[in-house]
Amino acid sequence: MSNGEEGFVAEYGVVGDSDLMAPDLERMLQKNVKYIGIENALLAGKVESAIEIGNRLHKTAVLSGLGALVVGVFSGKQFETVCFALGGLSAVCSLWYMADWQFDPLCKYQVAPLGVQMPQVEAKELTIIERKDDSARKVLHTTISAISGLVCLRKALKGDYLKFR
């Protein structure tokens, strides 16, 4: 039942509607199942929330890092505090993602669009999560956070906020 992509054991898996299905979900996550359908509404809500937290950490790291870059490069001394705040926020979100979220197998999954159907599954309410490659995402927010951090450090050194004597 392999889908041809290396590392995937199965194309589809379904976590039942029982309260004891979290271990089944963990097994499917560890086996890199491409699509996982979750029938249990409570478990699906927890999974969707966890994925949303990871997405928000990523977006916050990227957008605040870009903001720090723009403010740091194109503005004068009057906006240095904004640059430091945005750069710090980007670094904190990126570090939080790297320290905590990237090792969770759920970080490789996104909630599938509404049109995705799972064959041979007859469930009334089914939340489907899809495994996706997140390496570009990690490189993007890490690179932007690092560059914005360097811009902030340069501004701090140039503005005499940090003195090494």
Side-chain angles (χ1 to χ4, degrees), residues 64 67-69 71-72 75-90 148 151-152 155-156 159 161:
S64 60
L69 285 171
V71 170
S75 70
K77 197 166 179 76
Q78 68 271 24
F79 292 108
E80 285 180 344
T81 305
V82 174
C83 178
F84 296 147
L86 290 173
L89 179 62
S90 179
S148 68
V151 167
C152 290
K155 276 214 171 276
Y161 293 103

PDB file of all heavy atoms in Angstrom, residues 64 67-69 71-72 75-90 148 151-152 155-156 159 161:
ATOM      1  N   SER A  64       7.665  38.963  11.212  1.00  0.00           N
ATOM      2  CA  SER A  64       8.377  39.899  12.087  1.00  0.00           C
ATOM      3  C   SER A  64       9.840  40.027  11.654  1.00  0.00           C
ATOM      4  O   SER A  64      10.427  41.110  11.739  1.00  0.00           O
ATOM      5  CB  SER A  64       8.269  39.480  13.554  1.00  0.00           C
ATOM      6  OG  SER A  64       8.812  38.195  13.756  1.00  0.00           O
ATOM      7  N   GLY A  67       9.806  42.326   8.740  1.00  0.00           N
ATOM      8  CA  GLY A  67       9.586  43.679   9.253  1.00  0.00           C
ATOM      9  C   GLY A  67      10.854  44.264   9.848  1.00  0.00           C
ATOM     10  O   GLY A  67      11.180  45.436   9.616  1.00  0.00           O
ATOM     11  N   ALA A  68      11.583  43.460  10.602  1.00  0.00           N
ATOM     12  CA  ALA A  68      12.849  43.926  11.185  1.00  0.00           C
ATOM     13  C   ALA A  68      13.854  44.268  10.094  1.00  0.00           C
ATOM     14  O   ALA A  68      14.588  45.256  10.208  1.00  0.00           O
ATOM     15  CB  ALA A  68      13.418  42.870  12.126  1.00  0.00           C
ATOM     16  N   LEU A  69      13.889  43.449   9.040  1.00  0.00           N
ATOM     17  CA  LEU A  69      14.799  43.730   7.923  1.00  0.00           C
ATOM     18  C   LEU A  69      14.447  45.042   7.235  1.00  0.00           C
ATOM     19  O   LEU A  69      15.315  45.878   6.982  1.00  0.00           O
ATOM     20  CB  LEU A  69      14.756  42.596   6.901  1.00  0.00           C
ATOM     21  CG  LEU A  69      15.475  41.316   7.275  1.00  0.00           C
ATOM     22  CD1 LEU A  69      15.166  40.220   6.269  1.00  0.00           C
ATOM     23  CD2 LEU A  69      16.957  41.551   7.364  1.00  0.00           C
ATOM     24  N   VAL A  71      12.589  47.608   8.358  1.00  0.00           N
ATOM     25  CA  VAL A  71      12.780  48.752   9.263  1.00  0.00           C
ATOM     26  C   VAL A  71      14.272  48.990   9.503  1.00  0.00           C
ATOM     27  O   VAL A  71      14.739  50.133   9.504  1.00  0.00           O
ATOM     28  CB  VAL A  71      12.028  48.529  10.593  1.00  0.00           C
ATOM     29  CG1 VAL A  71      12.406  49.583  11.617  1.00  0.00           C
ATOM     30  CG2 VAL A  71      10.533  48.536  10.362  1.00  0.00           C
ATOM     31  N   GLY A  72      15.012  47.915   9.678  1.00  0.00           N
ATOM     32  CA  GLY A  72      16.438  48.052   9.967  1.00  0.00           C
ATOM     33  C   GLY A  72      17.254  48.600   8.814  1.00  0.00           C
ATOM     34  O   GLY A  72      18.205  49.352   9.013  1.00  0.00           O
ATOM     35  N   SER A  75      15.119  52.474   7.440  1.00  0.00           N
ATOM     36  CA  SER A  75      14.678  53.562   8.316  1.00  0.00           C
ATOM     37  C   SER A  75      15.854  54.130   9.104  1.00  0.00           C
ATOM     38  O   SER A  75      16.914  53.531   9.187  1.00  0.00           O
ATOM     39  CB  SER A  75      13.593  53.071   9.275  1.00  0.00           C
ATOM     40  OG  SER A  75      14.156  52.192  10.215  1.00  0.00           O
ATOM     41  N   GLY A  76      15.601  55.246   9.685  1.00  0.00           N
ATOM     42  CA  GLY A  76      16.645  55.914  10.450  1.00  0.00           C
ATOM     43  C   GLY A  76      16.669  55.477  11.900  1.00  0.00           C
ATOM     44  O   GLY A  76      16.050  54.494  12.304  1.00  0.00           O
ATOM     45  N   LYS A  77      17.372  56.263  12.672  1.00  0.00           N
ATOM     46  CA  LYS A  77      17.585  55.960  14.077  1.00  0.00           C
ATOM     47  C   LYS A  77      16.292  55.973  14.894  1.00  0.00           C
ATOM     48  O   LYS A  77      16.183  55.288  15.906  1.00  0.00           O
ATOM     49  CB  LYS A  77      18.586  56.968  14.648  1.00  0.00           C
ATOM     50  CG  LYS A  77      19.215  56.567  15.940  1.00  0.00           C
ATOM     51  CD  LYS A  77      20.412  57.463  16.212  1.00  0.00           C
ATOM     52  CE  LYS A  77      21.083  57.127  17.505  1.00  0.00           C
ATOM     53  NZ  LYS A  77      21.891  55.944  17.483  1.00  0.00           N
ATOM     54  N   GLN A  78      15.297  56.748  14.453  1.00  0.00           N
ATOM     55  CA  GLN A  78      14.068  56.876  15.226  1.00  0.00           C
ATOM     56  C   GLN A  78      13.269  55.573  15.291  1.00  0.00           C
ATOM     57  O   GLN A  78      12.414  55.419  16.155  1.00  0.00           O
ATOM     58  CB  GLN A  78      13.182  58.021  14.691  1.00  0.00           C
ATOM     59  CG  GLN A  78      12.575  57.782  13.326  1.00  0.00           C
ATOM     60  CD  GLN A  78      13.459  58.253  12.177  1.00  0.00           C
ATOM     61  OE1 GLN A  78      14.668  58.363  12.303  1.00  0.00           O
ATOM     62  NE2 GLN A  78      12.830  58.522  11.034  1.00  0.00           N
ATOM     63  N   PHE A  79      13.527  54.605  14.408  1.00  0.00           N
ATOM     64  CA  PHE A  79      12.782  53.349  14.392  1.00  0.00           C
ATOM     65  C   PHE A  79      13.616  52.151  14.853  1.00  0.00           C
ATOM     66  O   PHE A  79      13.221  51.011  14.626  1.00  0.00           O
ATOM     67  CB  PHE A  79      12.225  53.081  12.996  1.00  0.00           C
ATOM     68  CG  PHE A  79      11.156  54.049  12.588  1.00  0.00           C
ATOM     69  CD1 PHE A  79      11.413  55.015  11.630  1.00  0.00           C
ATOM     70  CD2 PHE A  79       9.903  53.992  13.158  1.00  0.00           C
ATOM     71  CE1 PHE A  79      10.435  55.906  11.248  1.00  0.00           C
ATOM     72  CE2 PHE A  79       8.911  54.872  12.779  1.00  0.00           C
ATOM     73  CZ  PHE A  79       9.173  55.841  11.822  1.00  0.00           C
ATOM     74  N   GLU A  80      14.743  52.405  15.498  1.00  0.00           N
ATOM     75  CA  GLU A  80      15.586  51.297  15.939  1.00  0.00           C
ATOM     76  C   GLU A  80      14.884  50.406  16.950  1.00  0.00           C
ATOM     77  O   GLU A  80      15.047  49.187  16.941  1.00  0.00           O
ATOM     78  CB  GLU A  80      16.897  51.825  16.527  1.00  0.00           C
ATOM     79  CG  GLU A  80      17.853  52.299  15.461  1.00  0.00           C
ATOM     80  CD  GLU A  80      19.149  52.834  16.029  1.00  0.00           C
ATOM     81  OE1 GLU A  80      19.212  53.131  17.238  1.00  0.00           O
ATOM     82  OE2 GLU A  80      20.098  52.958  15.251  1.00  0.00           O
ATOM     83  N   THR A  81      14.080  50.987  17.825  1.00  0.00           N
ATOM     84  CA  THR A  81      13.363  50.197  18.824  1.00  0.00           C
ATOM     85  C   THR A  81      12.404  49.222  18.145  1.00  0.00           C
ATOM     86  O   THR A  81      12.267  48.074  18.573  1.00  0.00           O
ATOM     87  CB  THR A  81      12.575  51.118  19.779  1.00  0.00           C
ATOM     88  OG1 THR A  81      13.485  52.066  20.343  1.00  0.00           O
ATOM     89  CG2 THR A  81      11.924  50.334  20.888  1.00  0.00           C
ATOM     90  N   VAL A  82      11.745  49.679  17.082  1.00  0.00           N
ATOM     91  CA  VAL A  82      10.845  48.803  16.326  1.00  0.00           C
ATOM     92  C   VAL A  82      11.640  47.661  15.695  1.00  0.00           C
ATOM     93  O   VAL A  82      11.216  46.503  15.725  1.00  0.00           O
ATOM     94  CB  VAL A  82      10.080  49.606  15.251  1.00  0.00           C
ATOM     95  CG1 VAL A  82       9.253  48.694  14.371  1.00  0.00           C
ATOM     96  CG2 VAL A  82       9.207  50.664  15.890  1.00  0.00           C
ATOM     97  N   CYS A  83      12.783  47.983  15.155  1.00  0.00           N
ATOM     98  CA  CYS A  83      13.645  46.961  14.551  1.00  0.00           C
ATOM     99  C   CYS A  83      14.047  45.913  15.590  1.00  0.00           C
ATOM    100  O   CYS A  83      13.964  44.719  15.338  1.00  0.00           O
ATOM    101  CB  CYS A  83      14.888  47.613  13.941  1.00  0.00           C
ATOM    102  SG  CYS A  83      16.054  46.436  13.231  1.00  0.00           S
ATOM    103  N   PHE A  84      14.450  46.361  16.779  1.00  0.00           N
ATOM    104  CA  PHE A  84      14.868  45.429  17.835  1.00  0.00           C
ATOM    105  C   PHE A  84      13.690  44.564  18.292  1.00  0.00           C
ATOM    106  O   PHE A  84      13.847  43.359  18.512  1.00  0.00           O
ATOM    107  CB  PHE A  84      15.443  46.181  19.032  1.00  0.00           C
ATOM    108  CG  PHE A  84      16.710  46.942  18.718  1.00  0.00           C
ATOM    109  CD1 PHE A  84      16.979  48.134  19.362  1.00  0.00           C
ATOM    110  CD2 PHE A  84      17.621  46.486  17.786  1.00  0.00           C
ATOM    111  CE1 PHE A  84      18.136  48.842  19.081  1.00  0.00           C
ATOM    112  CE2 PHE A  84      18.779  47.187  17.498  1.00  0.00           C
ATOM    113  CZ  PHE A  84      19.036  48.370  18.154  1.00  0.00           C
ATOM    114  N   ALA A  85      12.515  45.175  18.426  1.00  0.00           N
ATOM    115  CA  ALA A  85      11.338  44.417  18.867  1.00  0.00           C
ATOM    116  C   ALA A  85      10.945  43.352  17.844  1.00  0.00           C
ATOM    117  O   ALA A  85      10.692  42.192  18.201  1.00  0.00           O
ATOM    118  CB  ALA A  85      10.176  45.361  19.125  1.00  0.00           C
ATOM    119  N   LEU A  86      10.902  43.741  16.573  1.00  0.00           N
ATOM    120  CA  LEU A  86      10.532  42.781  15.529  1.00  0.00           C
ATOM    121  C   LEU A  86      11.585  41.690  15.378  1.00  0.00           C
ATOM    122  O   LEU A  86      11.258  40.510  15.220  1.00  0.00           O
ATOM    123  CB  LEU A  86      10.319  43.501  14.199  1.00  0.00           C
ATOM    124  CG  LEU A  86       9.075  44.387  14.112  1.00  0.00           C
ATOM    125  CD1 LEU A  86       9.078  45.175  12.808  1.00  0.00           C
ATOM    126  CD2 LEU A  86       7.815  43.568  14.239  1.00  0.00           C
ATOM    127  N   GLY A  87      12.847  42.078  15.412  1.00  0.00           N
ATOM    128  CA  GLY A  87      13.920  41.085  15.318  1.00  0.00           C
ATOM    129  C   GLY A  87      13.909  40.123  16.496  1.00  0.00           C
ATOM    130  O   GLY A  87      14.108  38.914  16.335  1.00  0.00           O
ATOM    131  N   GLY A  88      13.656  40.644  17.682  1.00  0.00           N
ATOM    132  CA  GLY A  88      13.567  39.790  18.871  1.00  0.00           C
ATOM    133  C   GLY A  88      12.395  38.829  18.795  1.00  0.00           C
ATOM    134  O   GLY A  88      12.510  37.649  19.130  1.00  0.00           O
ATOM    135  N   LEU A  89      11.243  39.330  18.341  1.00  0.00           N
ATOM    136  CA  LEU A  89      10.065  38.474  18.191  1.00  0.00           C
ATOM    137  C   LEU A  89      10.329  37.366  17.170  1.00  0.00           C
ATOM    138  O   LEU A  89       9.981  36.200  17.400  1.00  0.00           O
ATOM    139  CB  LEU A  89       8.858  39.316  17.762  1.00  0.00           C
ATOM    140  CG  LEU A  89       7.553  38.565  17.532  1.00  0.00           C
ATOM    141  CD1 LEU A  89       7.087  37.887  18.812  1.00  0.00           C
ATOM    142  CD2 LEU A  89       6.493  39.520  17.008  1.00  0.00           C
ATOM    143  N   SER A  90      10.961  37.709  16.081  1.00  0.00           N
ATOM    144  CA  SER A  90      11.287  36.717  15.059  1.00  0.00           C
ATOM    145  C   SER A  90      12.217  35.645  15.628  1.00  0.00           C
ATOM    146  O   SER A  90      12.009  34.450  15.418  1.00  0.00           O
ATOM    147  CB  SER A  90      11.941  37.399  13.858  1.00  0.00           C
ATOM    148  OG  SER A  90      12.288  36.444  12.884  1.00  0.00           O
ATOM    149  N   SER A 148      17.677  38.932  10.092  1.00  0.00           N
ATOM    150  CA  SER A 148      17.115  40.067  10.835  1.00  0.00           C
ATOM    151  C   SER A 148      17.842  40.245  12.163  1.00  0.00           C
ATOM    152  O   SER A 148      18.043  41.371  12.623  1.00  0.00           O
ATOM    153  CB  SER A 148      15.611  39.898  11.049  1.00  0.00           C
ATOM    154  OG  SER A 148      15.332  38.832  11.925  1.00  0.00           O
ATOM    155  N   VAL A 151      20.997  42.106  11.353  1.00  0.00           N
ATOM    156  CA  VAL A 151      20.707  43.526  11.101  1.00  0.00           C
ATOM    157  C   VAL A 151      20.505  44.254  12.429  1.00  0.00           C
ATOM    158  O   VAL A 151      21.033  45.354  12.635  1.00  0.00           O
ATOM    159  CB  VAL A 151      19.474  43.685  10.182  1.00  0.00           C
ATOM    160  CG1 VAL A 151      18.977  45.114  10.158  1.00  0.00           C
ATOM    161  CG2 VAL A 151      19.816  43.227   8.777  1.00  0.00           C
ATOM    162  N   CYS A 152      19.771  43.638  13.338  1.00  0.00           N
ATOM    163  CA  CYS A 152      19.550  44.247  14.646  1.00  0.00           C
ATOM    164  C   CYS A 152      20.861  44.365  15.433  1.00  0.00           C
ATOM    165  O   CYS A 152      21.113  45.387  16.078  1.00  0.00           O
ATOM    166  CB  CYS A 152      18.534  43.440  15.453  1.00  0.00           C
ATOM    167  SG  CYS A 152      16.863  43.544  14.821  1.00  0.00           S
ATOM    168  N   LYS A 155      22.817  47.220  14.003  1.00  0.00           N
ATOM    169  CA  LYS A 155      22.246  48.499  14.453  1.00  0.00           C
ATOM    170  C   LYS A 155      22.617  48.763  15.910  1.00  0.00           C
ATOM    171  O   LYS A 155      22.912  49.893  16.278  1.00  0.00           O
ATOM    172  CB  LYS A 155      20.730  48.498  14.299  1.00  0.00           C
ATOM    173  CG  LYS A 155      20.270  48.874  12.931  1.00  0.00           C
ATOM    174  CD  LYS A 155      18.959  49.631  13.075  1.00  0.00           C
ATOM    175  CE  LYS A 155      18.524  50.246  11.801  1.00  0.00           C
ATOM    176  NZ  LYS A 155      19.095  51.518  11.512  1.00  0.00           N
ATOM    177  N   ALA A 156      22.580  47.726  16.727  1.00  0.00           N
ATOM    178  CA  ALA A 156      22.904  47.895  18.146  1.00  0.00           C
ATOM    179  C   ALA A 156      24.369  48.286  18.335  1.00  0.00           C
ATOM    180  O   ALA A 156      24.697  49.145  19.150  1.00  0.00           O
ATOM    181  CB  ALA A 156      22.604  46.607  18.910  1.00  0.00           C
ATOM    182  N   GLY A 159      24.861  51.878  16.886  1.00  0.00           N
ATOM    183  CA  GLY A 159      24.192  52.907  17.698  1.00  0.00           C
ATOM    184  C   GLY A 159      24.715  52.989  19.113  1.00  0.00           C
ATOM    185  O   GLY A 159      24.097  53.615  19.962  1.00  0.00           O
ATOM    186  N   TYR A 161      24.552  50.855  21.447  1.00  0.00           N
ATOM    187  CA  TYR A 161      23.720  50.178  22.454  1.00  0.00           C
ATOM    188  C   TYR A 161      24.510  49.070  23.136  1.00  0.00           C
ATOM    189  O   TYR A 161      24.323  48.784  24.293  1.00  0.00           O
ATOM    190  CB  TYR A 161      22.460  49.586  21.800  1.00  0.00           C
ATOM    191  CG  TYR A 161      21.516  50.640  21.295  1.00  0.00           C
ATOM    192  CD1 TYR A 161      21.448  50.933  19.938  1.00  0.00           C
ATOM    193  CD2 TYR A 161      20.704  51.345  22.167  1.00  0.00           C
ATOM    194  CE1 TYR A 161      20.579  51.894  19.464  1.00  0.00           C
ATOM    195  CE2 TYR A 161      19.847  52.316  21.704  1.00  0.00           C
ATOM    196  CZ  TYR A 161      19.781  52.591  20.347  1.00  0.00           C
ATOM    197  OH  TYR A 161      18.927  53.551  19.889  1.00  0.00           O
TER     198      TYR A 161
END
